[in-house]
Amino acid sequence: MIAKEIKRGMIVVSNGEPCMIEGVNVQTPSARGAATLYKFRARNLLNKQKVDFTLKGTESMNEADFSKREVKYLYNDPEKFYFMDNENYEQYEIPVDDIGDDKFYLKEDLEGLYVMIYNDAPVGISLPFTVVLKITQCDPGVKGNSATSRAKPATLETGLVVMVPEYIEEGTVIKVDSRTGEFLGRA
């Protein structure tokens, strides 16, 4: 697949190993005839190290040969997160360090959650783009401040803190973008 088709969350082969794309930065040329550069930040799924590489818009990379299994989040302990396959009920264990900040989007009955399998071993998870979470703590809005759109921090049921509009109250269920951690709206 060519560089401009590679998006965040995709798995590509870099130096013979599967890497999940965590960020894409597009650098457009300032001179005529110059090529658009795509700078990628990825995480090697085998050794968990960050990998940076740059491609021109016409260059390509191969997609990694791995499988995704739809799973249900079960529980976690201080060392691992546990997931169950929705089809064959097989359980997968993934170390806490491999989950990283994705742990703030995990809750029971989360739809669209996948475990990525490479060489018969779970190497990471793939979250849905939007996650519905409940606000457990936020300051009340102040009357008369509706002329400008101001934001305030809100703590969600998983411990994630997001900025929400001032009119949102504690107990409200909201949608959050799992890629950026931004408030998207009420659920």
Side-chain angles (χ1 to χ4, degrees):
M1 89 179 50
I2 60 175
K4 68 180 182 179
E5 295 175 348
I6 299 173
K7 306 285 184 230
R8 186 179 185 276
M10 291 181 127
I11 312 290
V12 296
V13 176
S14 176
N15 296 328
E17 295 185 335
C19 296
M20 176 186 270
I21 303 295
E22 292 182 342
V24 181
N25 185 9
V26 181
Q27 198 170 29
T28 56
S30 59
R32 285 187 176 181
T36 300
L37 296 178
Y38 292 85
K39 294 184 178 186
F40 297 98
R41 167 146 290 176
R43 181 170 304 276
N44 185 313
L45 293 176
L46 301 181
N47 61 22
K48 308 305 179 210
Q49 292 183 345
K50 291 199 177 202
V51 179
D52 291 325
F53 53 91
T54 303
L55 298 174
K56 291 181 180 176
T58 56
E59 293 178 331
S60 64
M61 292 193 84
N62 292 329
E63 210 167 348
D65 184 25
F66 73 102
S67 63
K68 277 184 169 182
R69 303 289 301 173
E70 189 169 5
V71 294
K72 179 182 269 189
Y73 168 62
L74 297 174
Y75 64 94
N76 66 296
D77 61 30
E79 297 173 10
K80 295 182 180 177
F81 280 81
Y82 299 89
F83 302 90
M84 181 179 66
D85 191 310
N86 287 348
E87 288 183 25
N88 62 14
Y89 306 110
E90 183 178 346
Q91 288 194 14
Y92 302 107
E93 302 173 359
I94 300 178
V96 170
D97 294 341
D98 294 355
I99 299 292
D101 288 341
D102 288 348
K103 67 183 175 189
F104 292 115
Y105 301 99
L106 293 175
K107 68 174 205 164
E108 291 182 19
D109 301 327
L110 178 63
E111 302 266 333
L113 179 64
Y114 292 88
V115 164
M116 294 171 291
I117 311 271
Y118 186 75
N119 290 340
D120 297 326
V123 293
I125 62 171
S126 175
L127 293 168
F129 292 144
T130 59
V131 178
V132 176
L133 298 168
K134 184 177 182 180
I135 296 176
T136 56
Q137 193 281 320
C138 74
D139 297 330
V142 178
K143 290 234 184 238
N145 285 346
S146 60
T148 59
S149 63
R150 295 193 301 186
K152 63 182 179 181
T155 305
L156 305 179
E157 61 187 299
T158 59
L160 180 68
V161 176
V162 297
M163 298 303 286
V164 298
E166 199 165 13
Y167 63 85
I168 299 291
E169 299 173 353
E170 192 172 304
T172 305
V173 179
I174 63 170
K175 289 190 271 187
V176 179
D177 188 327
S178 65
R179 298 166 292 182
T180 62
E182 293 178 356
F183 168 80
L184 295 175
R186 292 181 182 173

